[in-house]
Amino acid sequence: MVYLESRKNLAGCACGIAGLALTFAGLAGAYWPVVVAGLYGAGALIAPPERPPAPDFPDPSSRLEALRADFGTLRDYLGRVELPPAAAGHLAELMELLDGLLAPGWVSEALATDPEGVHVLSRAVHQDIPESVDTFVRTRWWTRIAPGTEPPERHLERQLTLLHREAEGLAAGLREAEARRQQTHTRYLEDRDRGRG
């Protein structure tokens, strides 16, 4: 079935039909089967080869949709974890910033065109935040058994501060890209106006 719909078969059939037309016109004579078969073969040989379909990679916006769903799962997990007030405040600020970056709209549309930005957010949601919180929970348990070591909430607060800084850098990059786009459009309009004058 694949060959019947292939370019080679279709080109061969077209040439074979031309051979039948030559036969009915009286130009092929007694050798008409050889002419028709030869023209079919020639058509099949000169037809371009089948092109394999290009890989269908997921659209960047679909990656963001999956990341939004995972962000909801992370939010549910964090809602069940008890954190000290300072760390909880840092985490709330970070989650609010990530929520703003992932919210549907022009920000996420701009983010979808930035694979590195999507990677940064994906790493924060899938790895960095869960690992920071989970490590804190496990380390806090050990601290209760062996007091006198550095409090694990200090590490958690530093980690959340660094993650917040990274997310702020991503937001600043998106903001700068939009500002450059606006400036470019202004220059374009000014150049167009000068061209009319």
Side-chain angles (χ1 to χ4, degrees), residues 1-124:
M1 283 302 291
V2 174
Y3 181 73
L4 289 177
E5 297 174 351
S6 70
R7 293 179 186 177
K8 291 190 173 295
N9 184 46
L10 294 175
C13 288
C15 289
I17 290 172
L20 286 174
L22 291 175
T23 300
F24 291 131
L27 300 174
Y31 298 104
W32 70 268
V34 175
V35 170
V36 171
L39 285 173
Y40 173 86
L45 286 175
I46 63 170
E50 290 296 320
R51 191 185 84 229
D56 186 22
F57 294 116
D59 186 70
S61 59
S62 67
R63 289 180 56 200
L64 279 181
E65 285 296 325
L67 189 54
R68 279 188 199 104
D70 294 342
F71 183 68
T73 303
L74 175 64
R75 191 183 289 280
D76 292 342
Y77 161 71
L78 295 174
R80 296 190 309 260
V81 176
E82 184 183 328
L83 298 176
H90 286 300
L91 183 61
E93 290 175 8
L94 174 60
M95 294 298 283
E96 184 178 347
L97 180 55
L98 294 180
D99 189 37
L101 288 169
L102 287 170
W106 70 268
V107 175
S108 63
E109 288 172 11
L111 182 63
T113 62
D114 179 13
E116 182 61 32
V118 173
H119 174 70
V120 167
L121 280 183
S122 178
R123 186 178 57 206

Side-chain angles (χ1 to χ4, degrees), residues 122-185:
S122 178
R123 186 178 57 206
V125 170
H126 294 139
Q127 178 183 344
D128 294 335
I129 297 172
E131 187 169 335
S132 295
V133 173
D134 186 57
T135 304
F136 163 76
V137 171
R138 286 184 282 132
T139 307
R140 180 177 58 181
W141 184 84
W142 285 106
T143 306
R144 289 178 184 160
I145 293 176
T149 58
E150 185 178 13
E153 46 271 1
R154 286 193 193 144
H155 285 285
L156 178 61
E157 289 169 24
R158 281 194 296 225
Q159 291 167 4
L160 294 174
T161 300
L162 292 169
L163 290 171
H164 191 273
R165 193 177 302 154
E166 184 178 45
E168 279 181 330
L170 176 60
L174 292 172
R175 185 171 49 246
E176 287 171 17
E178 289 302 315
R180 280 193 305 273
R181 184 175 161 205
Q182 185 184 34
Q183 292 164 1
T184 301
H185 189 60

